[in-house]
Amino acid sequence: MLLAIGFSGVCLSATLLGVWTSARRDSFLLTWAFGVLLLVGHVLVYWNYVQAPSLPLLAGFMAFLAAGLALLYGAARQFCSGQSPLRPSLLAGLTVFVFEVPLLLTGYDGAAMMMENFGALTVLGLTAWVYFRHRSDAPIPMVALAAMYMACAVSFGLCGLMLVLNGRWTIGHAPQNWAEDLSIMVAVASMTGIGALSLALNQARNAARHRAASLRDPLTGAMNRRALFSRHGERSFGPFMAVVMFDLDHFKGINDKYGHATGDRVLLAFADVARRHLRAGDDLARLGGEEFAVVMPRITEEQVQAVARTICEEFAATSLATERGPLSCTVSAGIGFGDAQGAGLEDILHRADTALYAAKRNGRNRIESETWRLVG
């Protein structure tokens, strides 16, 4: 059984390393792989200790266990909150092992094994708590991981409790009782379940990350056209809803004169200005090039005018330092309103686009709609 645990641990560690080589940003996989390898070392040294008990082997398998579980704890923190695993892993591993060393040196190997089991109970319990505390990320998988880690923790705790109840402060060999057998079975089942579930969670997180990236403009962080239609494409726009389209004036000239890097800074500056004046529930999207759209629900014509005017005025007052001197830019805007019939997004964008082109045609640096205009 012990050799089976060791073999499955090696396979799991190899799988984690393989996945990490193709996704190196997921560094928790590397931490976790090394933690599993240390636990495999614990199993192999423990198996040798069972065959021929000795103090060096006893100290060896305790050190491997403390270090391996500490790395699993660090990997859990790294996965759930992105924290570096180094400090928590060192603290957890050293705390457990430091308490065991004096007992080993004074010949109380049974007491050292009690400390080993209760230390494993503590570290595994902390690992379970990390996953449970972050269960909102993925409730069922996270709770399942916490449960499996907690099952391992309880199995180690039972092993320590049996030693306490039997008063075995010195034993000179590996303990043999039902708690040890149960702990081995729980370890086999949990290692398989924890490995499969952790990899599945990581794949799901990466898929969500890629999906989110596909819906965002990489430069400004605003929604892209695809995201805009995904969110509002089936929506009906009533009379208290509007779309404002913004187009930066003479942007091609800025790229030609100052370079595309400066042009990117101008786009970022506009996105930052727009975000500062949007309300909760408003959505900013970059439709392409220098064109942006803002969807504004639950708003009156006067409020739309005020927000659009503030954005245009603040952006015009924004100055960027360049090698050719200060650079400022203006923006034109067109507003499309919903109606009592509940127009679709395509219709509202067309109305806003028509108003925007009227603003560009009439001199730029102005805001227009179907019924009125604001000159900058």
Side-chain angles (χ1 to χ4, degrees):
M1 185 72 79
L2 288 173
L3 292 178
I5 295 175
F7 180 74
S8 63
V10 169
C11 293
L12 176 57
S13 184
T15 301
L16 292 169
L17 287 171
V19 174
W20 174 76
T21 57
S22 61
R24 305 231 169 165
R25 65 179 296 169
D26 300 323
S27 53
F28 94 96
L29 291 169
L30 188 61
T31 307
W32 204 50
F34 280 118
V36 173
L37 278 178
L38 287 171
L39 292 180
V40 171
H42 157 74
V43 170
L44 294 177
V45 177
Y46 182 74
W47 182 79
N48 280 282
Y49 177 76
V50 170
Q51 309 302 313
S54 69
L55 183 60
L57 288 176
L58 178 59
F61 82 71
M62 287 183 174
F64 273 113
L65 180 64
L69 293 182
L71 279 182
L72 293 191
Y73 171 60
R77 290 171 59 100
Q78 196 175 9
F79 174 75
C80 292
S81 56
Q83 297 175 337
S84 170
L86 186 59
R87 181 176 295 179
S89 295
L90 283 174
L91 182 62
L94 289 174
T95 299
V96 174
F97 194 63
V98 162
F99 280 103
E100 295 170 351
V101 170
L103 296 172
L104 289 174
L105 294 177
T106 53
Y108 290 101
D109 59 338
M113 288 183 186
M114 294 176 197
M115 185 61 64
E116 173 206 29
N117 285 305
F118 291 133
L121 165 67
T122 302
V123 176
L124 285 167
L126 288 172
T127 306
W129 172 244
V130 170
Y131 285 110
F132 185 76
R133 188 159 53 92
H134 291 86
R135 63 191 180 279
S136 59
D137 296 344
I140 294 177
M142 287 294 207
V143 170
L145 273 175
M148 284 186 281
Y149 274 107
M150 202 63 214
C152 287
V154 170
S155 71
F156 275 101
L158 289 174
C159 292
L161 182 61
M162 286 299 297
L163 289 170
V164 172
L165 293 177
N166 292 329
R168 305 296 299 274
W169 308 109
T170 58
I171 52 178
H173 58 81
Q176 296 179 347
N177 53 57
W178 64 268
E180 295 288 336
D181 296 336
L182 176 65
S183 181
I184 292 174
M185 289 188 287
V186 170
V188 171
S190 296
M191 182 175 292
T192 303
I194 288 171
L197 200 51
S198 295
L199 288 173
L201 264 175
N202 190 55
Q203 291 301 317
R205 173 181 284 186
N206 284 336
R209 186 184 296 147
H210 294 319
R211 186 165 57 252
S214 72
L215 298 174
R216 290 285 168 187
D217 170 50
L219 174 64
T220 63
M223 298 168 64
N224 58 21
R225 179 181 287 271
R226 176 183 174 187
L228 182 68
F229 276 86
S230 176
R231 186 175 179 87
H232 298 287
E234 303 299 322
R235 194 169 191 174
S236 296
F237 285 72
F240 293 99
M241 299 181 68
V243 172
V244 185
M245 291 186 67
F246 295 93
D247 190 280
L248 276 62
D249 297 328
H250 306 294
F251 186 71
K252 184 179 183 302
I254 292 174
N255 275 335
D256 292 343
K257 181 177 180 180
Y258 294 91
H260 289 278
T262 298
D264 288 347
R265 291 174 59 204
V266 172
L267 292 170
L268 280 168
F270 174 78
D272 290 341
V273 169
R275 285 194 186 94
R276 281 199 293 272
H277 297 287
L278 298 185
R279 309 163 306 157
D282 294 344
D283 286 323
L284 172 68
R286 183 183 176 193
L287 300 181
E290 67 274 22
E291 195 170 67
F292 293 81
V294 176
V295 177
M296 307 183 78
R298 301 180 303 280
I299 197 165
T300 65
E301 288 191 22
E302 292 77 13
Q303 289 172 321
V304 175
Q305 295 172 28
V307 172
R309 181 171 56 246
T310 301
I311 291 173
C312 290
E313 290 176 351
E314 183 171 326
F315 180 63
T318 300
S319 179
L320 299 177
T322 73
E323 293 180 355
R324 292 174 173 265
L327 168 65
S328 59
C329 181
T330 60
V331 62
S332 300
I335 303 177
F337 293 99
D339 53 43
Q341 289 72 39
L345 178 61
E346 286 277 13
D347 291 332
I348 304 303
L349 283 174
H350 178 70
R351 295 173 191 177
D353 196 43
T354 300
L356 173 63
Y357 275 98
K360 304 286 276 190
R361 190 171 54 247
N362 292 330
R364 295 183 170 84
N365 190 24
R366 63 181 63 215
I367 305 166
E368 297 207 16
S369 76
E370 298 168 301
T371 57
W372 50 262
R373 66 185 55 175
L374 291 174
V375 181

